[in-house]
Amino acid sequence: MKKLYICDYPYPLYEALIKASADHKNQSDLLLADSFPELGQMLEALRRSGIFQNVYYFDDELYRTRLCKVMYYNFKQIKGRSFFRGIWSLLHAFWVVMCCQGKAKNLTLPVAVSGYDEVFYSDRLSTLMFYLNKNNIPYTAMQHAKNVWQIKAPSEILKIKTFLLLERLHICCGINAYSKACRKIEVSENKNLSCRPPKWAQIVEWDADQAITALSEAEKERIFRVYEDSFGMSVDYSRTYDLLLTNPLAGDSFVSSEQAQIRFYRDTIQKYFSSAHGVLIKPHPRDKVDYAKHFPGCVVVDKMISSEILMLSSQLHLGKVCTLFSSSANAFRRINADILILEDFRTSPEQMESLKGYRS
């Protein structure tokens, strides 16, 4: 059986590396796309690793130049604008999505996707998702972040339901795996899902934290080396580190500004971390803060490195793992790290006690 993993986001790539490492019977190929340009840095290391039989690369110019400009439109931006300007912004975002769908159907990819028995892609909005949908190529939707299907943000649920309706009316294809080309949806746990999955898609439980335990230490180390060779890590392996997992708090309007976000994380480090340990900071992929500039005494891990990668090497010693609400933190329980999650990710920003004093 031939399997193709299409990856343009850090967490699905981590999942694909686990799946391919564990699958010794079938051919596993990778199509790496540069929705995040930094992912292109991993191309040669991925090819050298031998984890995938073939590694292809796609320059997703349509995503970078058009779709990404409206993809993370925040409904809260309407505040402070006139009503009509806010509505115009929403209509413009919808128009860009529609235009990108039409252009995506005729994308020229470096591999014949339809020639594979199984295709895996993430559950996020992208031009490659439009390509699969418009060409009716069945695929399995991998999570773009752990437990993402349990998130109950009202704006996310509204967006999903809106595009699901448009899919049923044949106006445009659904997003976030709500399309008829998506035949399976992977979730960490098949419970407390934020939206009912479409009737044509099968729900499959697949948890990266469980799957990684089936790999040998050599296989885990090989995955770790792919990231270390691609991005480098200025880590002193003789030390113990405390790890901070960030969230894009300013970009998602959880705090008032980028400076408030910096202040929150500086206070978090001082309050919860040991002065005897080094500090590792792993930024969220969408986090815009330059942590190397604002936290010069800390080791900043490249944001394209999935957090879970940091527990794969036996040489890296972690003491405490702290986050506001990153779902990746729980994975570190497997290496007996001290986990501190300050808030439930399903809680609204206004109700988060930890953010009081940083929202205004």
Side-chain angles (χ1 to χ4, degrees):
M1 178 179 286
K2 293 175 62 180
K3 298 181 179 181
L4 178 65
Y5 298 92
I6 304 176
C7 299
D8 59 1
Y9 203 72
Y11 191 75
L13 178 57
Y14 168 65
E15 292 183 313
L17 285 163
I18 297 174
K19 289 172 183 282
S21 295
D23 189 353
H24 304 292
K25 297 180 180 180
N26 302 300
Q27 176 179 327
S28 297
D29 292 349
L30 174 68
L31 174 57
L32 186 70
D34 64 349
S35 295
F36 288 88
E38 297 90 343
L39 280 180
Q41 293 178 227
M42 300 184 66
L43 184 62
E44 293 307 318
L46 284 164
R47 285 173 172 164
R48 289 194 302 268
S49 72
I51 296 174
F52 300 97
Q53 276 81 353
N54 299 289
V55 178
Y56 305 97
Y57 179 73
F58 174 63
D59 181 4
D60 197 351
E61 183 181 3
L62 180 60
Y63 176 89
R64 293 197 314 275
T65 58
R66 296 293 304 278
L67 190 59
C68 72
K69 297 183 185 300
V70 300
M71 183 173 171
Y72 295 112
Y73 182 84
N74 192 331
F75 288 95
K76 293 183 179 180
Q77 291 175 355
I78 294 177
K79 294 181 179 179
R81 300 182 177 194
S82 68
F83 174 79
F84 292 105
R85 189 180 177 191
I87 296 300
W88 169 252
S89 297
L90 287 173
L91 291 174
H92 174 257
F94 178 73
W95 173 251
V96 171
V97 169
M98 293 291 290
C99 291
C100 288
Q101 285 192 39
K103 293 182 179 181
K105 182 177 181 178
N106 299 313
L107 289 175
T108 301
L109 301 184
V111 59
V113 178
S114 58
Y116 285 84
D117 300 298
E118 277 193 87
V119 176
F120 295 84
Y121 187 50
S122 72
D123 56 13
R124 61 192 293 270
L125 176 64
S126 72
T127 50
L128 285 170
M129 187 207 73
F130 292 153
Y131 173 85
L132 296 173
N133 293 335
K134 287 293 186 179
N135 290 284
N136 198 29
I137 299 174
Y139 69 97
T140 297
M142 300 186 292
Q143 299 177 108
H144 75 270
K146 184 175 174 61
N147 293 329
V148 70
W149 285 90
Q150 278 76 27
I151 295 176
K152 291 182 170 57
S155 61
E156 283 296 307
I157 295 174
L158 175 62
K159 182 172 66 174
I160 289 170
K161 288 185 174 180
T162 300
F163 276 87
L164 181 56
L165 175 62
L166 294 173
E167 165 75 37
R168 287 172 172 162
L169 294 175
H170 304 286
I171 296 175
C172 73
C173 57
I175 64 172
N176 295 66
Y178 280 81
S179 165
K180 290 184 178 177
C182 178
R183 305 298 167 80
K184 296 179 182 178
I185 298 174
E186 291 184 346
V187 298
S188 299
E189 291 183 286
N190 189 10
K191 63 180 183 180
N192 300 323
L193 303 184
S194 59
C195 262
R196 187 189 317 173
K199 61 183 179 181
W200 58 79
Q202 175 188 355
I203 296 295
V204 178
E205 282 194 349
W206 190 88
D207 183 47
D209 297 346
Q210 293 295 325
I212 196 72
T213 61
L215 300 185
S216 68
E217 292 303 316
E219 288 170 330
K220 295 174 191 174
E221 198 73 36
R222 182 166 63 162
I223 294 174
F224 180 82
R225 295 303 166 198
V226 168
Y227 288 86
E228 186 174 49
D229 291 348
S230 301
F231 300 108
M233 294 189 196
S234 303
V235 173
D236 180 355
Y237 289 110
S238 66
R239 295 193 68 186
T240 297
Y241 288 88
D242 290 335
L243 172 64
L244 175 68
L245 304 177
T246 80
N247 296 93
L249 302 179
D252 289 349
S253 300
F254 279 76
V255 296
S256 59
S257 65
E258 186 175 288
Q259 287 302 316
Q261 178 176 324
I262 293 168
R263 183 162 53 88
F264 170 74
Y265 282 128
R266 184 173 288 123
D267 293 345
T268 298
I269 290 172
Q270 291 176 351
K271 184 175 181 180
Y272 296 111
F273 284 3
S274 169
S275 59
H277 294 170
V279 176
L280 278 177
I281 299 178
K282 166 58 183 71
H284 186 280
R286 291 191 290 110
D287 200 336
K288 303 295 186 182
V289 172
D290 185 352
Y291 288 96
K293 174 183 176 181
H294 295 286
F295 296 81
C298 304
V299 177
V300 181
V301 179
D302 195 283
K303 62 184 180 181
M304 289 298 104
I305 299 178
S306 291
S307 304
E308 292 85 353
I309 295 299
L310 300 174
M311 68 177 181
L312 296 185
S313 177
S314 58
Q315 298 182 55
L316 181 59
H317 305 288
L318 297 176
K320 179 173 288 185
V321 177
C322 180
T323 183
L324 182 64
F325 54 76
S326 173
S327 57
S328 299
N330 282 315
F332 292 87
R333 298 189 191 281
R334 192 178 61 80
I335 59 170
N336 298 318
D338 181 12
I339 311 298
L340 180 59
I341 302 175
L342 301 178
E343 300 285 351
D344 189 318
F345 66 90
R346 292 164 291 192
T347 305
S348 66
E350 295 79 10
Q351 296 176 320
M352 290 186 176
E353 291 290 329
S354 302
L355 294 182
K356 286 186 175 180
Y358 302 94
R359 294 185 51 79
S360 59

